[in-house]
Coordinates of all heavy atoms in Angstrom, one line a residue:
M752 N 5.1 -62.0 -14.0 CA 6.0 -61.3 -13.2 C 6.2 -62.1 -11.9 O 5.2 -62.5 -11.2 CB 5.5 -59.9 -12.9 CG 6.5 -59.0 -12.1 SD 5.9 -57.4 -11.8 CE 6.5 -56.6 -13.2
R753 N 7.4 -62.2 -11.5 CA 7.7 -62.9 -10.2 C 7.3 -62.0 -9.0 O 7.4 -60.8 -9.1 CB 9.2 -63.2 -10.1 CG 9.7 -64.1 -11.2 CD 11.1 -64.4 -11.1 NE 11.5 -64.7 -9.6 CZ 12.4 -65.5 -9.3 NH1 13.2 -66.0 -10.1 NH2 12.6 -65.7 -8.0
P754 N 6.9 -62.6 -7.9 CA 6.4 -61.9 -6.7 C 7.5 -60.9 -6.2 O 7.2 -59.8 -5.8 CB 6.1 -63.0 -5.7 CG 5.8 -64.2 -6.5 CD 6.7 -64.1 -7.7
E755 N 8.8 -61.3 -6.3 CA 9.8 -60.4 -5.8 C 9.9 -59.2 -6.6 O 10.1 -58.1 -6.1 CB 11.2 -61.2 -5.8 CG 11.2 -62.3 -4.9 CD 10.6 -63.6 -5.5 OE1 10.4 -63.7 -6.7 OE2 10.4 -64.6 -4.7
A756 N 9.8 -59.3 -7.9 CA 9.9 -58.2 -8.9 C 8.7 -57.3 -8.7 O 8.8 -56.0 -8.6 CB 9.9 -58.7 -10.3
L757 N 7.5 -57.8 -8.5 CA 6.3 -57.0 -8.2 C 6.5 -56.3 -6.9 O 6.1 -55.1 -6.9 CB 5.1 -57.9 -8.2 CG 3.8 -57.2 -8.0 CD1 3.5 -56.2 -9.0 CD2 2.6 -58.2 -7.9
S758 N 7.0 -56.9 -5.9 CA 7.2 -56.3 -4.6 C 8.1 -55.1 -4.8 O 7.9 -54.0 -4.2 CB 7.7 -57.3 -3.6 OG 8.0 -56.6 -2.4
R759 N 9.2 -55.2 -5.5 CA 10.2 -54.1 -5.7 C 9.5 -53.0 -6.5 O 9.7 -51.8 -6.1 CB 11.4 -54.6 -6.4 CG 12.4 -55.4 -5.5 CD 13.8 -55.6 -6.2 NE 13.7 -56.3 -7.4 CZ 13.6 -57.6 -7.6 NH1 13.7 -58.4 -6.5 NH2 13.6 -58.2 -8.7
L760 N 8.8 -53.3 -7.5 CA 8.1 -52.3 -8.3 C 7.1 -51.5 -7.4 O 7.0 -50.3 -7.5 CB 7.4 -53.0 -9.5 CG 6.6 -52.0 -10.4 CD1 7.5 -51.0 -11.0 CD2 5.9 -52.8 -11.5
F761 N 6.3 -52.3 -6.6 CA 5.4 -51.6 -5.7 C 6.1 -50.6 -4.8 O 5.6 -49.5 -4.6 CB 4.6 -52.7 -4.9 CG 3.4 -52.1 -4.2 CD1 2.2 -52.0 -4.8 CD2 3.6 -51.6 -2.9 CE1 1.1 -51.5 -4.1 CE2 2.5 -51.1 -2.2 CZ 1.2 -51.0 -2.8
R762 N 7.1 -51.1 -4.2 CA 7.9 -50.2 -3.2 C 8.5 -49.0 -4.0 O 8.4 -47.9 -3.5 CB 9.0 -51.0 -2.6 CG 9.8 -50.2 -1.5 CD 10.8 -50.9 -0.7 NE 10.2 -51.9 0.1 CZ 9.6 -51.7 1.3 NH1 9.6 -50.5 1.8 NH2 9.1 -52.7 2.0
R763 N 9.0 -49.2 -5.2 CA 9.6 -48.1 -5.9 C 8.5 -47.1 -6.3 O 8.7 -45.9 -6.2 CB 10.2 -48.6 -7.2 CG 11.1 -47.6 -7.9 CD 11.8 -48.1 -9.1 NE 12.2 -49.5 -9.1 CZ 11.9 -50.5 -10.0 NH1 11.3 -50.1 -11.1 NH2 12.4 -51.7 -9.8
E764 N 7.3 -47.5 -6.6 CA 6.3 -46.6 -7.0 C 5.5 -45.9 -5.9 O 5.1 -44.8 -6.0 CB 5.2 -47.4 -7.9 CG 5.8 -47.8 -9.2 CD 6.2 -46.7 -10.1 OE1 5.5 -45.7 -10.2 OE2 7.3 -46.8 -10.7
T765 N 5.4 -46.6 -4.8 CA 4.6 -46.1 -3.6 C 5.5 -45.6 -2.5 O 5.0 -44.9 -1.6 CB 3.6 -47.1 -3.1 OG1 4.3 -48.2 -2.5 CG2 2.7 -47.6 -4.2
G766 N 6.7 -46.1 -2.4 CA 7.5 -45.8 -1.3 C 7.3 -46.6 0.0 O 7.9 -46.4 1.0
E767 N 6.5 -47.6 -0.1 CA 6.2 -48.5 1.0 C 6.0 -49.9 0.4 O 5.6 -50.1 -0.7 CB 5.0 -48.1 1.8 CG 3.7 -48.1 1.1 CD 2.6 -47.5 1.9 OE1 2.7 -47.5 3.2 OE2 1.6 -47.2 1.3
G768 N 6.2 -50.9 1.3 CA 5.9 -52.3 0.9 C 4.4 -52.6 0.8 O 3.6 -51.9 1.4
F769 N 4.1 -53.6 0.1 CA 2.7 -54.0 0.0 C 2.0 -54.3 1.3 O 0.9 -53.9 1.6 CB 2.5 -55.2 -1.0 CG 1.0 -55.5 -1.2 CD1 0.2 -54.7 -2.0 CD2 0.5 -56.6 -0.6 CE1 -1.1 -55.0 -2.2 CE2 -0.9 -56.9 -0.8 CZ -1.7 -56.1 -1.6
A770 N 2.7 -55.0 2.2 CA 2.1 -55.4 3.5 C 1.8 -54.1 4.3 O 0.7 -54.0 4.9 CB 3.0 -56.3 4.3
E771 N 2.7 -53.1 4.3 CA 2.4 -51.9 5.0 C 1.2 -51.1 4.4 O 0.4 -50.6 5.1 CB 3.7 -51.0 4.9 CG 3.5 -49.6 5.5 CD 3.2 -49.6 7.0 OE1 3.5 -50.6 7.7 OE2 2.7 -48.6 7.5
Y772 N 1.2 -51.1 3.1 CA 0.1 -50.4 2.4 C -1.3 -51.1 2.7 O -2.2 -50.4 3.1 CB 0.3 -50.5 0.8 CG -0.9 -50.1 0.0 CD1 -1.2 -48.8 -0.2 CD2 -1.8 -51.1 -0.5 CE1 -2.3 -48.4 -0.9 CE2 -2.9 -50.7 -1.2 CZ -3.1 -49.3 -1.4 OH -4.2 -49.0 -2.2
L773 N -1.3 -52.4 2.7 CA -2.5 -53.2 3.0 C -2.9 -52.9 4.5 O -4.1 -52.7 4.8 CB -2.3 -54.7 2.8 CG -3.5 -55.6 3.0 CD1 -4.6 -55.2 2.1 CD2 -3.1 -57.0 2.7
R774 N -2.0 -52.9 5.4 CA -2.3 -52.7 6.8 C -2.9 -51.3 7.0 O -3.9 -51.1 7.6 CB -1.0 -52.8 7.7 CG -1.3 -52.6 9.2 CD -0.1 -52.8 10.0 NE 1.0 -51.8 9.7 CZ 1.0 -50.6 10.1 NH1 0.0 -50.1 10.8 NH2 2.0 -49.8 9.7
R775 N -2.3 -50.3 6.3 CA -2.9 -48.9 6.4 C -4.3 -48.8 5.9 O -5.2 -48.2 6.5 CB -2.0 -47.9 5.7 CG -0.8 -47.5 6.4 CD -0.1 -46.3 5.8 NE 0.0 -46.3 4.3 CZ -0.8 -45.6 3.5 NH1 -1.7 -44.9 4.0 NH2 -0.6 -45.7 2.2
Q776 N -4.5 -49.5 4.8 CA -5.9 -49.5 4.2 C -6.9 -50.2 5.1 O -8.0 -49.7 5.3 CB -5.9 -50.2 2.8 CG -5.1 -49.5 1.8 CD -5.5 -48.0 1.6 OE1 -6.7 -47.8 1.4 NE2 -4.6 -47.1 1.6
R777 N -6.5 -51.3 5.7 CA -7.4 -52.1 6.6 C -7.7 -51.2 7.9 O -8.8 -51.2 8.3 CB -6.7 -53.4 7.0 CG -6.7 -54.4 6.0 CD -6.0 -55.7 6.4 NE -6.2 -56.7 5.5 CZ -5.6 -57.9 5.5 NH1 -4.7 -58.1 6.5 NH2 -5.8 -58.8 4.6
I778 N -6.7 -50.5 8.4 CA -6.9 -49.7 9.6 C -7.7 -48.5 9.3 O -8.6 -48.1 10.1 CB -5.5 -49.3 10.2 CG1 -4.8 -50.6 10.7 CG2 -5.7 -48.4 11.4 CD1 -5.5 -51.5 11.7
A779 N -7.6 -47.9 8.1 CA -8.4 -46.8 7.7 C -9.9 -47.2 7.6 O -10.8 -46.5 8.1 CB -7.9 -46.2 6.4
L780 N -10.1 -48.4 7.1 CA -11.5 -48.9 7.0 C -12.0 -49.2 8.5 O -13.1 -48.8 8.8 CB -11.5 -50.2 6.2 CG -12.9 -51.0 6.2 CD1 -14.0 -50.1 5.7 CD2 -12.7 -52.3 5.5
A781 N -11.1 -49.7 9.3 CA -11.5 -50.0 10.7 C -11.9 -48.7 11.4 O -12.9 -48.6 12.2 CB -10.4 -50.7 11.5
C782 N -11.1 -47.6 11.2 CA -11.4 -46.3 11.8 C -12.8 -45.9 11.4 O -13.6 -45.4 12.2 CB -10.4 -45.3 11.4 SG -8.8 -45.5 12.2
R783 N -13.1 -46.0 10.1 CA -14.4 -45.5 9.6 C -15.5 -46.4 10.2 O -16.5 -45.8 10.7 CB -14.4 -45.6 8.1 CG -15.6 -44.9 7.5 CD -15.6 -44.8 6.0 NE -16.3 -46.0 5.6 CZ -15.8 -46.9 4.7 NH1 -14.6 -46.8 4.2 NH2 -16.5 -48.0 4.4
L784 N -15.3 -47.7 10.3 CA -16.4 -48.5 10.9 C -16.5 -48.3 12.4 O -17.7 -48.4 12.9 CB -16.0 -50.0 10.6 CG -16.1 -50.5 9.1 CD1 -15.6 -51.9 9.0 CD2 -17.5 -50.3 8.6
L785 N -15.5 -48.0 13.1 CA -15.6 -47.7 14.5 C -16.4 -46.5 14.7 O -17.1 -46.4 15.7 CB -14.2 -47.6 15.1 CG -13.4 -48.9 15.3 CD1 -12.0 -48.6 15.6 CD2 -14.0 -49.7 16.5
L786 N -16.3 -45.5 13.9 CA -17.0 -44.2 14.0 C -18.4 -44.3 13.5 O -19.3 -43.6 14.0 CB -16.2 -43.1 13.4 CG -14.8 -42.8 14.0 CD1 -14.2 -41.7 13.3 CD2 -14.9 -42.5 15.5
E787 N -18.6 -45.0 12.4 CA -19.9 -45.0 11.7 C -20.9 -46.1 12.1 O -22.0 -46.1 11.7 CB -19.7 -45.0 10.2 CG -19.0 -43.8 9.7 CD -18.6 -43.8 8.3 OE1 -18.9 -44.8 7.6 OE2 -18.1 -42.8 7.8
T788 N -20.4 -47.1 12.8 CA -21.3 -48.3 13.2 C -21.2 -48.5 14.7 O -20.3 -48.0 15.4 CB -20.9 -49.6 12.5 OG1 -19.7 -50.1 13.0 CG2 -20.7 -49.3 11.0
Q789 N -22.0 -49.4 15.2 CA -22.0 -49.8 16.6 C -21.5 -51.3 16.6 O -21.6 -52.0 17.6 CB -23.4 -49.7 17.2 CG -23.8 -48.3 17.4 CD -22.8 -47.5 18.2 OE1 -22.4 -47.9 19.3 NE2 -22.5 -46.3 17.8
D790 N -21.0 -51.8 15.5 CA -20.5 -53.2 15.4 C -19.4 -53.4 16.5 O -18.6 -52.4 16.8 CB -19.9 -53.5 14.0 CG -21.0 -53.5 13.0 OD1 -22.2 -53.5 13.3 OD2 -20.6 -53.4 11.8
S791 N -19.3 -54.6 16.9 CA -18.2 -54.9 17.9 C -16.9 -54.8 17.3 O -16.7 -54.9 16.0 CB -18.5 -56.4 18.4 OG -18.2 -57.3 17.4
V792 N -15.9 -54.6 18.1 CA -14.5 -54.6 17.6 C -14.1 -55.9 16.9 O -13.5 -55.9 15.9 CB -13.5 -54.2 18.8 CG1 -12.1 -54.3 18.3 CG2 -13.8 -52.8 19.3
S793 N -14.6 -57.0 17.5 CA -14.3 -58.3 16.9 C -14.9 -58.4 15.5 O -14.2 -58.9 14.5 CB -14.9 -59.4 17.7 OG -14.3 -59.4 19.0
L794 N -16.1 -57.9 15.3 CA -16.7 -58.0 13.9 C -16.0 -57.1 13.0 O -15.7 -57.4 11.8 CB -18.2 -57.6 14.0 CG -19.0 -57.6 12.7 CD1 -18.9 -59.0 12.0 CD2 -20.4 -57.2 12.9
I795 N -15.6 -55.9 13.4 CA -14.9 -54.9 12.6 C -13.5 -55.5 12.2 O -13.1 -55.4 11.1 CB -14.7 -53.6 13.3 CG1 -16.1 -52.9 13.4 CG2 -13.7 -52.7 12.6 CD1 -16.1 -51.6 14.2
A796 N -12.9 -56.2 13.2 CA -11.6 -56.8 12.8 C -11.8 -57.9 11.7 O -11.0 -57.9 10.8 CB -11.0 -57.5 14.1
E797 N -12.8 -58.7 11.8 CA -13.1 -59.7 10.8 C -13.4 -59.0 9.5 O -12.9 -59.4 8.4 CB -14.3 -60.5 11.3 CG -14.6 -61.7 10.4 CD -15.7 -62.5 10.9 OE1 -15.8 -62.8 12.1 OE2 -16.6 -62.8 10.0
R798 N -14.2 -58.0 9.5 CA -14.5 -57.3 8.2 C -13.3 -56.7 7.5 O -13.3 -56.5 6.3 CB -15.5 -56.2 8.5 CG -16.9 -56.6 8.7 CD -17.8 -55.4 8.8 NE -19.2 -55.9 8.9 CZ -20.2 -55.0 9.1 NH1 -19.9 -53.7 9.3 NH2 -21.4 -55.5 9.2
C799 N -12.3 -56.3 8.3 CA -11.1 -55.7 7.8 C -10.0 -56.7 7.4 O -8.9 -56.3 7.1 CB -10.6 -54.7 8.8 SG -11.7 -53.3 9.0
G800 N -10.3 -58.0 7.6 CA -9.4 -59.0 7.1 C -8.5 -59.6 8.1 O -7.6 -60.3 7.8
Y801 N -8.8 -59.3 9.4 CA -7.9 -59.9 10.5 C -8.5 -61.2 10.9 O -9.8 -61.3 11.1 CB -7.8 -58.9 11.6 CG -6.9 -57.7 11.3 CD1 -7.4 -56.6 10.7 CD2 -5.5 -57.8 11.5 CE1 -6.5 -55.6 10.3 CE2 -4.7 -56.8 11.2 CZ -5.2 -55.7 10.6 OH -4.3 -54.6 10.2
L802 N -7.7 -62.2 11.2 CA -8.2 -63.5 11.6 C -8.5 -63.6 13.1 O -9.3 -64.4 13.5 CB -7.2 -64.6 11.2 CG -6.9 -64.7 9.7 CD1 -5.8 -65.7 9.4 CD2 -8.2 -65.0 8.9
D803 N -7.9 -62.7 13.8 CA -8.2 -62.7 15.3 C -8.1 -61.3 15.8 O -7.4 -60.4 15.3 CB -7.2 -63.6 16.0 CG -5.8 -63.2 16.0 OD1 -5.4 -62.3 16.8 OD2 -5.0 -63.7 15.1
G804 N -8.8 -61.1 16.9 CA -8.9 -59.8 17.5 C -7.6 -59.2 18.0 O -7.3 -58.1 18.0
K805 N -6.7 -60.1 18.6 CA -5.5 -59.7 19.1 C -4.6 -59.1 18.1 O -4.0 -58.0 18.3 CB -4.7 -60.9 19.8 CG -3.5 -60.5 20.4 CD -2.8 -61.7 21.1 CE -1.5 -61.2 21.8 NZ -0.6 -62.2 22.0
S806 N -4.4 -59.7 16.9 CA -3.6 -59.1 15.9 C -4.1 -57.8 15.4 O -3.4 -56.9 15.1 CB -3.3 -60.1 14.7 OG -4.5 -60.4 14.1
F807 N -5.5 -57.7 15.3 CA -6.1 -56.5 14.9 C -5.8 -55.4 15.9 O -5.4 -54.3 15.5 CB -7.6 -56.7 14.8 CG -8.4 -55.4 14.6 CD1 -8.3 -54.6 13.5 CD2 -9.2 -54.9 15.6 CE1 -9.0 -53.4 13.3 CE2 -9.9 -53.7 15.5 CZ -9.8 -53.0 14.3
R808 N -6.0 -55.7 17.2 CA -5.8 -54.6 18.2 C -4.3 -54.2 18.2 O -4.0 -53.0 18.4 CB -6.2 -55.1 19.6 CG -7.7 -55.2 19.8 CD -8.1 -55.6 21.2 NE -7.5 -56.8 21.6 CZ -8.1 -58.0 21.4 NH1 -9.2 -58.2 20.7 NH2 -7.5 -59.1 21.9
E809 N -3.4 -55.1 18.0 CA -2.0 -54.7 18.0 C -1.7 -53.8 16.8 O -1.0 -52.8 16.9 CB -1.1 -56.0 18.0 CG -1.1 -56.7 19.3 CD -0.4 -58.1 19.2 OE1 0.1 -58.4 18.1 OE2 -0.3 -58.7 20.3
A810 N -2.2 -54.2 15.6 CA -2.0 -53.4 14.4 C -2.6 -52.1 14.5 O -2.0 -51.0 14.1 CB -2.5 -54.2 13.2
F811 N -3.8 -52.0 15.1 CA -4.5 -50.8 15.3 C -3.7 -49.8 16.2 O -3.5 -48.7 15.9 CB -5.9 -51.0 15.8 CG -6.8 -49.8 15.7 CD1 -7.6 -49.7 14.6 CD2 -6.8 -48.8 16.7 CE1 -8.5 -48.5 14.5 CE2 -7.6 -47.7 16.6 CZ -8.5 -47.6 15.5
R812 N -3.3 -50.4 17.3 CA -2.6 -49.6 18.3 C -1.2 -49.1 17.7 O -0.9 -47.9 17.9 CB -2.3 -50.3 19.6 CG -1.5 -49.5 20.6 CD -1.1 -50.4 21.8 NE -2.2 -50.7 22.6 CZ -2.6 -50.0 23.7 NH1 -2.0 -48.9 23.9 NH2 -3.6 -50.4 24.4
R813 N -0.6 -49.9 17.0 CA 0.7 -49.5 16.3 C 0.5 -48.4 15.3 O 1.3 -47.5 15.2 CB 1.3 -50.8 15.7 CG 2.8 -50.6 15.3 CD 3.4 -51.9 14.9 NE 2.6 -52.8 13.9 CZ 2.1 -53.9 14.3 NH1 2.2 -54.4 15.5 NH2 1.4 -54.6 13.4
T814 N -0.6 -48.5 14.6 CA -0.8 -47.5 13.5 C -1.5 -46.2 14.1 O -1.0 -45.1 13.7 CB -1.8 -48.1 12.5 OG1 -1.2 -49.3 12.0 CG2 -2.0 -47.1 11.3
V815 N -2.5 -46.3 14.9 CA -3.2 -45.2 15.4 C -2.7 -44.6 16.7 O -2.9 -43.4 17.0 CB -4.7 -45.6 15.5 CG1 -5.6 -44.4 16.0 CG2 -5.3 -46.0 14.2
G816 N -2.1 -45.4 17.5 CA -1.5 -44.9 18.8 C -2.4 -45.1 20.0 O -2.1 -44.6 21.1
M817 N -3.6 -45.8 19.7 CA -4.5 -46.1 20.8 C -5.3 -47.3 20.4 O -5.4 -47.6 19.3 CB -5.4 -44.9 21.1 CG -6.4 -44.6 20.0 SD -7.5 -43.2 20.4 CE -6.4 -41.8 20.2
P818 N -5.9 -48.0 21.4 CA -6.7 -49.2 21.1 C -8.0 -48.8 20.4 O -8.5 -47.7 20.5 CB -7.0 -49.8 22.4 CG -6.2 -49.1 23.5 CD -5.7 -47.8 22.8
P819 N -8.6 -49.7 19.7 CA -9.8 -49.4 18.9 C -11.0 -48.9 19.8 O -11.6 -47.9 19.4 CB -10.2 -50.8 18.3 CG -9.0 -51.6 18.3 CD -8.2 -51.1 19.4
R820 N -11.2 -49.4 20.9 CA -12.3 -48.9 21.8 C -12.0 -47.5 22.2 O -13.0 -46.7 22.3 CB -12.4 -49.9 23.0 CG -13.1 -51.2 22.6 CD -13.6 -51.9 23.9 NE -14.3 -53.1 23.5 CZ -13.8 -54.3 23.4 NH1 -12.6 -54.5 23.8 NH2 -14.6 -55.3 23.0
E821 N -10.8 -47.2 22.6 CA -10.5 -45.8 22.9 C -10.7 -44.9 21.8 O -11.2 -43.8 21.9 CB -9.0 -45.7 23.5 CG -8.7 -44.4 24.0 CD -7.2 -44.4 24.6 OE1 -6.8 -45.4 25.0 OE2 -6.6 -43.3 24.5
Y822 N -10.3 -45.3 20.6 CA -10.5 -44.5 19.4 C -12.0 -44.2 19.2 O -12.4 -43.1 18.9 CB -9.9 -45.2 18.2 CG -10.1 -44.5 16.9 CD1 -9.2 -43.5 16.5 CD2 -11.2 -44.7 16.0 CE1 -9.3 -42.8 15.3 CE2 -11.3 -44.0 14.8 CZ -10.4 -43.1 14.5 OH -10.5 -42.4 13.3
R823 N -12.8 -45.2 19.4 CA -14.2 -45.1 19.2 C -14.8 -44.1 20.2 O -15.6 -43.2 19.9 CB -14.9 -46.4 19.3 CG -16.5 -46.3 19.2 CD -17.1 -47.7 19.3 NE -17.4 -48.1 18.0 CZ -17.7 -49.4 17.7 NH1 -17.8 -50.3 18.6 NH2 -17.9 -49.7 16.4
R824 N -14.3 -44.2 21.5 CA -14.8 -43.3 22.5 C -14.4 -41.9 22.3 O -15.1 -40.9 22.6 CB -14.3 -43.8 23.9 CG -15.1 -44.9 24.5 CD -14.8 -45.1 26.0 NE -13.4 -45.3 26.2 CZ -12.7 -46.5 26.3 NH1 -13.4 -47.6 26.1 NH2 -11.5 -46.5 26.5
S825 N -13.2 -41.7 21.7 CA -12.6 -40.3 21.6 C -13.4 -39.6 20.5 O -13.3 -38.4 20.4 CB -11.1 -40.4 21.2 OG -10.9 -40.9 19.9
R826 N -14.0 -40.3 19.6 CA -14.8 -39.7 18.5 C -14.1 -38.6 17.8 O -14.5 -37.4 17.7 CB -16.1 -39.2 19.0 CG -17.1 -40.2 19.5 CD -17.3 -41.2 18.6 NE -18.7 -41.3 18.2 CZ -19.1 -42.1 17.3 NH1 -18.3 -43.0 16.7 NH2 -20.4 -42.2 16.9
P827 N -12.9 -38.9 17.2 CA -12.2 -37.9 16.4 C -13.0 -37.3 15.3 O -13.9 -38.1 14.7 CB -10.9 -38.6 15.9 CG -11.2 -40.1 16.0 CD -12.3 -40.2 17.0
P828 N -12.9 -36.1 14.9 CA -13.7 -35.5 13.9 C -13.6 -36.1 12.5 O -14.6 -36.0 11.8 CB -13.3 -34.0 13.9 CG -11.9 -34.0 14.5 CD -11.9 -35.2 15.4
A829 N -12.5 -36.7 12.2 CA -12.3 -37.2 10.9 C -11.3 -38.4 11.0 O -10.6 -38.5 12.0 CB -11.8 -36.2 9.9
L830 N -11.2 -39.1 9.9 CA -10.2 -40.2 9.9 C -8.8 -39.6 10.1 O -8.6 -38.5 9.7 CB -10.2 -41.0 8.6 CG -11.5 -41.9 8.4 CD1 -11.4 -42.5 7.0 CD2 -11.6 -42.9 9.5
L831 N -8.0 -40.3 10.7 CA -6.6 -39.8 10.9 C -6.0 -39.4 9.6 O -6.0 -40.2 8.7 CB -5.8 -40.8 11.7 CG -6.2 -41.1 13.1 CD1 -5.4 -42.3 13.6 CD2 -6.0 -39.9 14.0
R832 N -5.3 -38.3 9.6 CA -4.6 -37.9 8.4 C -3.5 -38.7 8.0 O -3.2 -38.8 6.8 CB -4.1 -36.4 8.6 CG -5.2 -35.4 8.9 CD -6.1 -35.3 7.7 NE -7.2 -34.4 8.0 CZ -8.5 -34.5 7.7 NH1 -8.8 -35.6 7.1 NH2 -9.4 -33.7 8.0
L833 N -2.9 -39.4 9.0 CA -1.7 -40.3 8.6 C -2.2 -41.5 7.8 O -1.3 -42.2 7.2 CB -1.0 -40.7 9.9 CG -1.7 -41.6 10.8 CD1 -1.1 -43.0 10.7 CD2 -1.5 -41.1 12.2
L834 N -3.4 -41.8 7.9 CA -3.9 -43.0 7.1 C -4.2 -42.5 5.7 O -4.3 -43.0 4.8 CB -5.1 -43.6 7.8 CG -4.9 -44.1 9.2 CD1 -6.2 -44.6 9.8 CD2 -3.9 -45.2 9.2

């Protein structure tokens, strides 16, 4: 199957593009790691597949609405429902 066809099929079935789906999954994992570990934000970014901290922080803020450190400090009771 050609990549373009697979991309269209994925969007048709899930309602979102693969890149968006992958970003949401990575950020959901990051949320869990921020709450359940004391690992640095840089290490969490790496574990979630980000090559640099800046792109991770930008993606996190765009998805969650706050930076990773603030999310960790706020200690929400559960992972965000939007993820």
Side-chain angles (χ1 to χ4, degrees):
M752 180 178 274
R753 294 179 50 147
E755 298 82 11
L757 181 58
S758 179
R759 281 192 302 275
L760 178 62
F761 189 89
R762 182 174 295 280
R763 191 177 326 130
E764 293 297 318
T765 66
E767 65 185 341
F769 182 73
E771 174 66 18
Y772 170 81
L773 183 59
R774 185 180 57 79
R775 280 190 321 98
Q776 295 304 311
R777 286 176 171 173
I778 297 300
L780 173 60
C782 288
R783 195 176 87 236
L784 292 174
L785 284 165
L786 297 178
E787 295 176 358
T788 73
Q789 293 302 314
D790 294 343
S791 69
V792 172
S793 297
L794 180 58
I795 290 173
E797 185 179 316
R798 284 185 174 175
C799 294
Y801 287 88
L802 299 177
D803 64 85
K805 183 180 180 198
S806 61
F807 169 69
R808 288 188 302 276
E809 288 173 358
F811 194 94
R812 181 187 287 272
R813 193 169 46 250
T814 304
V815 178
M817 66 179 75
R820 284 193 174 101
E821 186 178 329
Y822 180 84
R823 178 178 263 168
R824 280 195 304 268
S825 72
R826 297 304 245 178
L830 290 177
L831 294 174
R832 300 292 178 225
L833 66 106
L834 301 175

